Amino acid sequence: MSAKRTGSRALIKPLRDFLVIPTDNRNRIVDYITERMGCGEKSIALCFRGDYFTLYYRCCQLLKVKAKGGKIIGEFNFRYALPQTEPIAVKNELEQAGVNFGNNECAAAFVLQGEGCVTCGALNFILAKYISLIDDFIGCGSGKNGREKDRQQQLFIANFGKRAQTYFDIEYTEPRESLIAAGYYDYAQDKIAAHKKDKGGRFDLLGLRKTEEGFILQFVELKSNYRACTDDKSGVKKHIKDYKKYCGYETLLNARKADAVDTVNLLSEILGENYQYGKLNEDGIVGQEIVFIFTDGAVAQEKLYKNVLKENGINTICYDENLNEILP
């Protein structure tokens, strides 16, 4: 973890170098992403996190990649193996492929670049095994809100890289430190306690929408079931308050615009013809908007919140189970 948690997603140099300079394992990871771009919820999404980058599968962390000791390391949370009837056998298979469990089962690690790095064949095996573990984890019901997470992955990849509308990040959470620095909490009590009580700056998707004047930065909330709409801690009204408040802080907005530019330009460099987006600059982002998306069981709830969303200037989109837009 970096010393300063500013919320920036701009990758540190060792990770940028790994992703743009061809090597066997780097190429395999990029191919893994591009081969699955048309696979909806089973796609692989590449997201940047500053001092690490993540491969998401079904909106679960398939691989966390970071720089450590002059090496590039890939980590996986082996707790996804909990539903397995023989987790020790799975662990042994992964160890033989080059995964080191050490003392931290939540960060099973292997070397992607540097001394002791795994072969491409081993990398293929490891990623396939991790995907299988996540599928089993969600399938047995241990994956909380698995359905909504699948919708997130589907929506992300459906618009990924499109010129008129693109999503470029999943599951953004503003760090407590940058919220406090921006003055997000004005409570009289300790600001750390305030953050624990009322966490802010949490978005399901970040996107860009093209207009004649330039691009609009999008903060997107997804709801796919009844409970997600009505829950006191994460319901529609709670997110309206958070999103509106967040968009009132220019320093936070500017940081997200900078992230959008850095992310889109780096993705274009990494993915090449598979991500035709061109060069973007911050002057090209001319505004921001809040979007609430309702799918599946939440579609019926949209009408209950339609007026309050409209009053707050929030755009809404509804999709059916096949992600076809439901027109008003």
Side-chain angles (χ1 to χ4, degrees):
M1 186 177 293
S2 60
K4 292 184 178 180
R5 300 193 64 221
T6 62
S8 173
R9 303 294 218 194
L11 278 184
I12 59 175
K13 188 177 186 301
L15 295 178
R16 298 178 82 95
D17 289 346
F18 173 76
L19 285 172
V20 300
I21 299 173
T23 63
D24 287 346
N25 282 341
R26 175 269 182 196
N27 293 346
R28 178 76 286 256
I29 285 178
V30 172
D31 288 345
Y32 217 74
I33 296 165
T34 57
E35 287 165 3
R36 289 161 175 76
M37 279 189 175
C39 296
E41 71 182 40
K42 298 299 183 74
S43 63
I44 305 294
L46 171 62
C47 295
F48 307 140
R49 299 291 183 261
D51 53 5
Y52 68 94
F53 67 82
T54 287
L55 300 185
Y56 277 115
Y57 171 74
R58 301 187 71 177
C59 227
C60 297
Q61 192 174 69
L62 173 65
L63 198 65
K64 177 180 180 180
V65 180
K66 61 185 185 180
K68 184 178 181 181
K71 300 178 181 180
I72 302 299
I73 306 294
E75 293 183 347
F76 178 76
N77 188 346
F78 195 65
R79 287 186 178 178
Y80 281 123
L82 288 175
Q84 301 295 312
T85 55
E86 296 184 14
I88 299 301
V90 175
K91 186 174 180 180
N92 288 339
E93 287 182 315
L94 289 168
E95 285 179 329
Q96 290 175 19
V99 176
N100 179 17
F101 286 84
N103 296 321
N104 186 1
E105 196 173 62
C106 295
F110 63 92
V111 181
L112 277 164
Q113 182 176 285
E115 184 180 355
C117 71
V118 299
T119 65
C120 273
L123 178 57
N124 283 334
F125 173 81
I126 292 167
L127 291 177
K129 182 62 69 173
Y130 288 172
I131 282 175
S132 175
L133 292 176
I134 291 173
D135 281 337
D136 289 347
F137 183 83
I138 293 174
C140 76
S142 296
K144 185 180 179 182
N145 295 326
R147 177 73 166 179
E148 187 154 292
K149 296 299 184 184
D150 281 339
R151 285 295 189 233
Q152 274 183 265
Q153 189 89 25
Q154 285 177 302
L155 286 165
F156 179 87
I157 210 64
N159 285 334
F160 181 70
K162 292 184 178 178
R163 187 67 185 174
Q165 160 77 59
T166 186
Y167 294 127
F168 61 87
D169 206 352
I170 297 176
E171 294 283 341
Y172 181 82
T173 300
E174 187 73 41
R176 178 182 67 200
E177 292 86 347
S178 56
L179 286 172
I180 291 175
Y184 190 90
Y185 298 109
D186 55 3
Y187 304 159
Q189 69 262 39
D190 179 80
K191 291 181 179 179
I192 294 178
H195 173 77
K196 290 180 178 178
K197 179 181 178 182
D198 186 23
K199 292 182 179 180
R202 296 177 296 168
F203 311 107
D204 287 332
L205 296 162
L206 295 178
L208 290 172
R209 179 174 63 85
K210 185 174 176 57
T211 69
E212 292 183 0
E213 294 76 23
F215 290 95
I216 304 297
L217 178 65
Q218 295 181 316
F219 297 98
V220 183
E221 176 64 21
L222 169 65
K223 299 298 180 187
S224 68
N225 58 65
Y226 172 82
R227 183 176 178 181
C229 294
T230 59
D231 186 86
D232 289 341
K233 294 183 178 180
S234 60
V236 170
K237 292 182 179 180
K238 179 74 171 179
H239 280 295
I240 290 174
K241 180 181 177 182
D242 177 34
Y243 280 40
K244 289 282 289 184
K245 184 175 181 180
Y246 188 94
C247 287
Y249 290 88
E250 188 173 358
T251 54
L252 297 175
L253 290 178
N254 287 340
R256 300 293 70 71
K257 290 176 183 178
D259 273 354
V261 169
D262 187 81
T263 298
V264 168
N265 289 340
L266 183 54
L267 285 171
S268 296
E269 186 176 358
I270 295 166
L271 301 179
E273 63 182 14
N274 295 298
Y275 190 85
Q276 294 287 355
Y277 215 73
K279 195 71 174 176
L280 186 67
N281 59 66
E282 288 184 48
D283 290 339
I285 302 179
V286 297
Q288 63 279 334
E289 65 184 4
I290 301 168
V291 181
F292 274 53
I293 294 176
F294 296 86
T295 70
D296 303 285
V299 170
Q301 302 303 311
E302 185 266 347
K303 62 180 180 293
L304 299 178
Y305 299 97
K306 192 170 186 176
N307 288 339
V308 68
L309 288 164
K310 186 175 181 180
E311 288 168 1
N312 282 279
I314 296 173
N315 299 323
T316 59
I317 305 174
C318 292
Y319 292 104
D320 64 20
E321 61 185 9
N322 297 312
L323 289 190
N324 296 310
E325 187 173 349
I326 301 172
L327 299 176

